[in-house]
């Protein structure tokens, strides 16, 4: 075995706990197999015929994952037969393939996008598994988001049903960071970093004019992680709007009042919003019908354009106040860049974990860090729910504390009442405690 040293082997008995913060008497909880090289491998190098496919939208780091799967298989396990399935799931049966070698993929991590190209729709489980069988493929590496992982679960089930000795490994890809169980998805850090540039540009623009209002739309169809982290990182954002937190425009505690107040105080205001925020309001005012993409995902309406227009109309027509609106949508620029240093390292770990898992003979798994330890997670666990920003979590509270924006919660007084009472109780019973 070319480059694996015995010291790095992970025992098949080692597990990673899903919950790391637990109460003293709480049950042991769910554990996943720890990822890493095994002393006993299932496949012999010369037997392996692997394939790699990428599906869904773009995300920084896909090429690094492809490269490291190919190099990992070849350098660590001496595998030579690796196929690239081109153009997503449909590439399996439309016979678009190429041979992947370390030489072919050597430089691809320096480029954005996916070297293998991608697509939406076209998942036909029977045709895909027929093809896996016909070509004699026995390791399938599938890089993609929630939809892709659902497709991977179906491929795994069909492979099991037919009794094929094929390892199916999923590498979760989502720029939105909405994949359940794992700590973070690859490309997320790069996206947050790149989003800073757009926020900075908006800030520079609105600072340089009178009553400047900057609106920056970021990715986040159902979850506002990018918007939340970009806001927390930037410090130039006055208000962050995400799909999980409903907001309103008019009246006391509404967005218009807040914008007016910040314009009076600072002369400018920057709003960051996730693409999935406030979709119901946009739909109401536009009277549009639900559109779907080829994979069946709901097409979102442009909340950024809508909000910019609403703010413009309110201040010019209602408040009779001239504002300078700057709307920036950096989505495609962010998706298309190569991954940064930390994502590159992370992608390498994911790819190598997937290779070790498949070579050890595991199947139907997804790889990812759980509480900072890389683990093999059953695909069904990551597809059953989606990660969203919980408004009761500490991170959202930190954001509200950092921007001092309205919480848009009508039950504010009730919640504050509860908090106040709890604080008073704590003060009455206080005592310094050694850890
Ligand atoms: P992202 O949302 O991050 O762009 P994704 O993987 O969710 O990535 P989709 O376009 O939804 O992107 O799906 C990618 C592929 O997975 C498509 O080829 C689609 O046909 C397939 N797919 C999506 N949902 C399912 C499903 N429920 N069952 C089987 N295949 C699916
Ligand atoms: Mg998706």
């Amino acid at each position: 075995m070319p480059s694996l040293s015995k010291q790095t082997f992970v025992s098949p008995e080692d597990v990673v706990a899903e919950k790391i913060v637990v109460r003293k008497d709480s049950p042991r909880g769910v554990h996943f197999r720890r990822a890493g090289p095994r002393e006993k491998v299932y496949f012999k190098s010369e037997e392996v015929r692997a394939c790699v496919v990428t599906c869904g939208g773009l995300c920084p780091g896909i090429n690094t994952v492809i490269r490291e799967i190919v190099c990992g298989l070849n350098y660590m396990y001496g595998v030579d037969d690796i196929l690239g399935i081109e153009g997503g799931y449909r590439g399996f049966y439309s016979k678009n393939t190429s041979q992947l070698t370390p030489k072919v993929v050597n430089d691809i991590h320096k480029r954005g996008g996916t070297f293998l190209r991608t697509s939406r729709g076209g998942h036909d489980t029977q045709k895909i598994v027929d093809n896996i069988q016909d070509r004699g493929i026995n390791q399938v590496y599938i890089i993609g988001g929630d939809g892709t992982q659902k497709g991977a679960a179906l491929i795994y089930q069909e492979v099991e049903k037919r009794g094929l000795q094929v390892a199916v490994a999923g590498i979760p890809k989502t720029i939105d960071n909405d994949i359940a169980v794992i700590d973070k998805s690859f490309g997320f850090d790069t996206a947050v970093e790149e989003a800073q540039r757009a926020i900075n540009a908006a800030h520079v623009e609105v600072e340089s004019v009178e009553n400047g209002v900057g609106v920056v739309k970021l990715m986040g169809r159902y979850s506002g992680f990018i918007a939340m982290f970009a806001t927390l990182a930037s410090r130039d954002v006055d208000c962050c709007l995400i799909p999980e937190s409903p907001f309103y425009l008019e009246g006391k505690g509404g967005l218009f009042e807040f914008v007016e107040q910040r314009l009076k105080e600072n002369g400018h205001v920057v709003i960051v919003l996730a693409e999935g925020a406030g979709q119901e309001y946009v739909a109401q005012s536009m009277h549009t019908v639900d559109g779907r993409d080829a994979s069946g995902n709901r097409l979102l309406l442009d909340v950024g354009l809508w909000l910019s227009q609403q703010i413009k109309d309110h201040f010019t027509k209602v408040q009779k106040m001239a504002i300078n609106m700057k709307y920036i949508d950096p989505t495609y620029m962010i998706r298309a860049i190569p991954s940064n240093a930390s994502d590159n390292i992370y992608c390498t770990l994911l790819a190598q974990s997937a290779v070790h898992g498949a070579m050890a003979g595991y199947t139907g798994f997804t790889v990812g860090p759980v509480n900072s330890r890389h683990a093999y997670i059953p695909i069904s666990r990551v597809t059953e729910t989606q990660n969203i920003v919980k408004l009761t979590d500490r991170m959202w509270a930190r954001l509200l504390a950092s921007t001092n924006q309205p919480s848009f919660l009508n039950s504010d007084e009730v919640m504050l009442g509860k908090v106040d009472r709890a604080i008073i109780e704590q003060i009455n019973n206080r005592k310094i405690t050694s850890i």
Side-chain angles (χ1 to χ4, degrees):
M1 204 169 293
S3 76
L4 283 177
S5 80
K6 215 176 158 74
Q7 289 89 326
T8 61
F9 289 143
V10 170
S11 160
E13 309 299 320
D14 285 0
V15 289
V16 177
E18 184 177 26
K19 285 204 168 38
I20 203 156
V21 180
V22 287
R23 299 235 161 85
K24 227 163 64 182
D25 47 0
S26 59
R28 207 169 151 262
V30 176
H31 289 67
F32 303 111
R33 281 182 205 277
R34 188 174 179 193
R38 302 305 203 243
E39 188 159 19
K40 275 198 190 135
V41 290
Y42 172 87
F43 289 100
K44 289 188 189 133
S45 329
E46 64 279 10
E47 282 172 6
V48 175
R49 175 154 240 229
C51 74
V52 189
V53 64
T54 59
C55 314
L58 293 185
C59 168
I62 299 178
N63 280 337
T64 312
V65 177
I66 300 171
R67 183 190 190 278
E68 296 308 320
I69 290 173
V70 175
C71 292
L73 276 168
N74 188 266
Y75 297 162
M76 296 190 294
Y77 293 98
V79 171
D80 296 318
D81 197 359
I82 310 163
L83 291 175
I85 307 290
E86 292 176 3
Y89 277 133
R90 56 167 60 95
F92 273 104
Y93 51 87
S94 55
K95 309 259 190 279
N96 293 330
T97 52
S98 58
Q99 199 71 31
L100 300 177
T101 62
K103 201 167 167 205
V104 169
V105 296
N106 189 41
D107 276 339
I108 63 171
H109 62 294
K110 294 177 187 163
R111 284 179 249 156
T114 160
F115 176 71
L116 294 174
R117 293 184 291 112
T118 183
S119 65
R120 297 197 190 273
H123 179 98
D124 183 325
T125 314
Q126 296 303 322
K127 279 204 222 170
I128 291 170
V129 179
D130 284 351
N131 218 264
I132 289 172
Q133 209 169 352
D134 291 349
R135 291 177 200 247
I137 292 168
N138 49 18
Q139 289 188 7
V140 185
Y141 295 92
I142 302 172
I143 306 166
D146 54 334
T148 307
Q149 300 304 321
K150 284 178 191 151
L154 294 177
I155 294 174
Y156 157 65
Q157 283 159 18
E158 184 59 26
V159 160
E160 290 281 287
K161 204 168 114 195
R162 297 190 193 182
L164 307 174
Q165 299 306 300
V166 174
V168 179
I171 296 99
K173 167 223 67 96
T174 158
I175 203 162
D176 295 350
N177 197 31
D178 57 0
I179 296 228
V181 188
I182 63 169
D183 295 346
K184 192 169 62 175
S185 50
F186 75 80
F188 177 70
D189 271 358
T190 308
V192 170
E193 206 172 290
E194 190 66 10
Q196 304 297 295
R197 291 152 65 93
I199 295 171
N200 192 40
H203 189 236
V204 168
E205 285 282 346
V206 298
E207 239 190 349
S208 311
V209 293
E210 201 178 336
N211 289 334
V213 179
V215 174
V216 180
K217 187 179 78 171
L218 297 175
M219 291 83 77
R221 300 169 71 85
Y222 304 105
S223 69
F225 288 103
I226 294 183
M228 177 169 79
F229 276 78
T231 298
L232 272 165
S234 147
R235 320 275 147 175
D236 285 335
V237 180
D238 293 278
C239 186
C240 172
L241 304 171
I242 58 170
E244 297 88 334
S245 176
F247 62 91
Y248 53 93
L249 302 177
E250 318 258 357
K252 191 147 180 50
L255 189 67
F256 291 153
E257 188 190 69
F258 176 73
V259 170
E260 192 180 340
Q261 181 203 330
R262 288 282 159 115
L263 286 177
K264 277 190 189 139
E265 282 168 9
N266 306 332
H268 61 266
V269 60
V270 175
I271 299 167
V272 159
L273 82 169
E275 61 186 325
Q279 284 295 312
E280 58 283 18
Y281 315 127
V282 195
Q284 266 168 24
S285 68
M286 285 184 172
H287 309 291
T288 44
V289 261
D290 227 15
R292 304 260 157 188
D293 70 13
S295 296
N297 301 305
R298 187 161 62 93
L299 288 175
L300 298 181
L301 301 163
D302 193 334
V303 67
L305 271 180
W306 174 82
L307 185 69
S308 310
Q309 197 57 49
Q310 296 289 319
I311 296 175
K312 247 197 266 180
D313 288 350
H314 174 80
F315 283 95
T316 46
K317 290 181 194 158
V318 184
Q319 297 282 80
K320 309 283 183 227
M321 178 177 160
I323 59 159
N324 265 301
M325 172 62 68
K326 311 283 174 189
Y327 172 47
I328 299 180
D329 178 355
T331 310
Y332 288 114
M333 296 188 67
I334 294 176
R335 282 167 34 134
I337 58 169
S339 48
N340 67 10
S342 74
D343 268 324
N344 259 333
I345 296 171
Y346 179 27
C347 290
T348 306
L349 263 63
L350 288 172
Q352 291 191 359
S353 294
V355 167
H356 292 313
M359 287 302 295
Y362 295 130
T363 183
F365 68 87
T366 296
V367 287
V370 181
N371 295 314
S372 315
R373 287 285 182 275
H374 282 252
Y376 298 130
I377 307 153
I379 298 178
S380 55
R381 280 301 308 273
V382 297
T383 53
E384 66 196 9
T385 53
Q386 240 175 346
N387 234 3
I388 56 164
V389 174
K390 291 192 194 82
L391 300 184
T392 48
D393 262 9
R394 297 171 68 194
M395 212 38 125
W396 186 244
R398 288 173 184 130
L399 178 134
L400 295 179
S402 165
T403 57
N404 206 15
Q405 69 187 64
S407 67
F408 302 108
L409 286 175
N410 294 325
S411 55
D412 239 357
E413 287 84 8
V414 183
M415 285 182 62
L416 279 175
K418 269 191 201 153
V419 173
D420 285 349
R421 274 196 298 283
I423 289 172
I424 291 166
E425 210 157 294
Q426 268 173 30
I427 290 172
N428 287 341
N429 301 321
R430 69 186 158 176
K431 191 173 145 233
I432 288 178
T433 314
S434 318
I435 289 291

